[in-house]
Amino acid sequence: MIRAILLDKDGTLTDFRATWEAWMPTMIHALAHESGAEADTVAKAFGFDLATGRIPADGLFVTAPGHVVTAGVASVIGWPTARLSRWLAPRSHVVRQVMVPGVPQVLARLHAAGLPIGILTNADEAEAHRHLIGMGIGHLLHRVIGCDSGFGAKPDPRGAADFADALELPRGSVALVGDGRTDMAAAKGAGLVPVAVLTGTLGHADLSPLAEAVLPDITGLPAWLATRGIGVPAA
């Protein structure tokens, strides 16, 4: 029986492509202009395809925590990492988080069912709190674990394991819901139940071998929980 839910943020609570793909070209061209690097070089360092305007599913921007992406891009353009962090911070803060439709309602239902809800993200903890509060769902969350919370970044399973252990729950009674391979690997490594959603960059065929269930989006959670014997109040 599932007794708690641990959620990824980007691509799970939010539509990953709708959130980031509109912002990245302008940012990349501005950074190329200021650094003197070629725009294509900057884009490739981030893991973005300027020609298509798409983020490849296996690009660094998808698979790595923010500080790793920043360090990688900084080395390519010849800037100190700290300088690039300062340059990116005000620009990334204004990115509008495009929530998956129905997120507040489904989290409220899970909360009403008595299920502790956590966030495990490869964003830093402060950024995650800012986004979650901005989305109006911060009050529904039991805990937020970022890549800088002391457990490493996914696929490191320690954050997932600590979420279950701190609640004194069997790890197999906690579902980890995410859109990426790193989420599924963290779940498996920690002994949590991996559940995938398709609001990131990967498709059903990519995720089905790694997950117990693949849902179109997070709003499918109540129906999936019903198959595990958990009743979730109606909206």
Side-chain angles (χ1 to χ4, degrees):
M1 183 174 288
I2 300 299
R3 297 173 61 188
I5 305 290
L6 185 58
L7 301 166
D8 171 52
K9 181 175 71 71
D10 296 300
T12 301
L13 298 179
T14 65
D15 182 315
F16 191 92
R17 293 194 182 280
T19 296
W20 294 103
E21 287 182 343
W23 171 78
M24 289 194 76
T26 299
M27 179 275 295
I28 285 167
H29 283 290
L31 180 57
H33 176 76
E34 192 159 335
S35 67
E38 293 291 332
D40 281 342
T41 300
V42 176
K44 288 177 183 176
F46 272 105
F48 184 77
D49 188 334
L50 274 179
T52 63
R54 302 282 280 178
I55 301 170
D58 58 352
L60 189 67
F61 193 77
V62 174
T63 60
H67 68 277
V68 173
V69 176
T70 302
V73 175
S75 68
V76 167
I77 66 174
W79 281 13
T81 300
R83 179 183 177 186
L84 182 56
S85 293
R86 290 192 300 270
W87 189 91
L88 284 170
R91 292 164 174 84
S92 61
H93 287 179
V94 300
V95 176
R96 184 175 71 90
Q97 302 298 303
V98 181
M99 265 196 300
V100 172
V103 162
Q105 293 82 3
V106 77
L107 293 193
R109 293 175 64 190
L110 297 174
H111 187 266
L115 296 168
I117 306 167
I119 301 296
L120 181 66
T121 176
N122 275 356
D124 64 71
E125 190 174 328
E127 177 184 292
H129 275 290
R130 184 172 62 252
H131 289 166
L132 295 163
I133 291 169
M135 288 188 280
I137 57 177
H139 65 290
L140 297 170
L141 303 172
H142 174 78
R143 186 178 178 191
V144 176
I145 303 170
C147 66
D148 58 347
S149 298
F151 304 104
K154 296 175 290 186
D156 193 314
R158 290 177 294 164
D162 193 74
F163 178 74
D165 294 349
L167 289 169
E168 299 183 346
L169 293 175
R171 294 182 185 178
S173 70
V174 179
L176 196 166
V177 184
D179 67 295
R181 293 186 179 94
T182 57
D183 302 306
M184 302 301 101
K188 181 178 180 180
L192 275 58
V193 179
V195 177
V197 291
L198 300 177
T199 42
T201 61
L202 298 177
H204 192 282
D206 302 305
L207 291 166
S208 59
L210 310 175
E212 180 165 313
V214 181
L215 309 176
D217 59 52
I218 193 175
T219 63
L221 268 178
W224 177 77
L225 287 166
T227 70
R228 302 290 297 251
I230 304 297
V232 176

